[in-house]
Amino acid sequence: QAQLAESGGGLVQPGGSLRLSCAGSGFTLEYNTIGWFRQAPGKEREVVACISSSDSSTYYADSVKGRFTISRDNAKNTVYLQLNSLKPEDTAVYYCAADIEAMGISTVSAEYNYWGQGTQVTISS
């Protein structure tokens, strides 16, 4: 059974950093487009970053471009999201998801097939 599990969330001060991990089991993340999404209280879920299955090209939302980095470690079947220069508005539950049909970048949450349980990221002084 395909599963995703996020970890690495926590409470950090503005300007701090975190690294989120998305570990896959039951399928190989390398062969799937993987996205990171987030949802803040009272707001809709939004795409943060994505890495494609075909050529590992990446996409970043404008709000995180230059601060967040998505990457893969195929040997560990894990995708990471490095969060730097964190701001209070980055506070949200972060989810990773897999789109098993996409060959390239996929930014529409409804197209993703498997989701992790989420990890809370809180930015506060």
Side-chain angles (χ1 to χ4, degrees), residues 82-95:
Q82 179 69 40
L83 290 62
N84 295 330
S85 302
L86 284 162
K87 305 175 181 180
E89 52 263 44
D90 294 319
T91 295
V93 178
Y94 283 69
Y95 301 88

Side-chain angles (χ1 to χ4, degrees), residues 20-39:
L20 306 184
S21 300
C22 173
S25 60
F27 72 122
T28 303
L29 298 191
E30 177 183 2
Y31 303 139
N32 296 277
T33 290
I34 305 298
W36 281 97
F37 295 79
R38 67 186 181 186
Q39 188 165 20

Side-chain angles (χ1 to χ4, degrees), residues 30-98:
E30 177 183 2
Y31 303 139
N32 296 277
T33 290
I34 305 298
W36 281 97
F37 295 79
R38 67 186 181 186
Q39 188 165 20
K43 295 188 177 181
E44 294 186 354
R45 187 173 297 184
E46 62 175 353
V47 64
V48 173
C50 177
I51 185 165
S52 74
S53 58
S54 57
D55 59 2
S56 291
S57 58
T58 56
Y59 163 89
Y60 297 95
D62 287 344
S63 59
V64 307
K65 202 171 293 183
R67 300 189 298 121
F68 292 7
T69 303
I70 190 170
S71 62
R72 295 182 188 270
D73 184 334
N74 295 331
K76 294 183 178 180
N77 204 30
T78 299
V79 171
Y80 300 101
L81 186 67
Q82 179 69 40
L83 290 62
N84 295 330
S85 302
L86 284 162
K87 305 175 181 180
E89 52 263 44
D90 294 319
T91 295
V93 178
Y94 283 69
Y95 301 88
C96 67

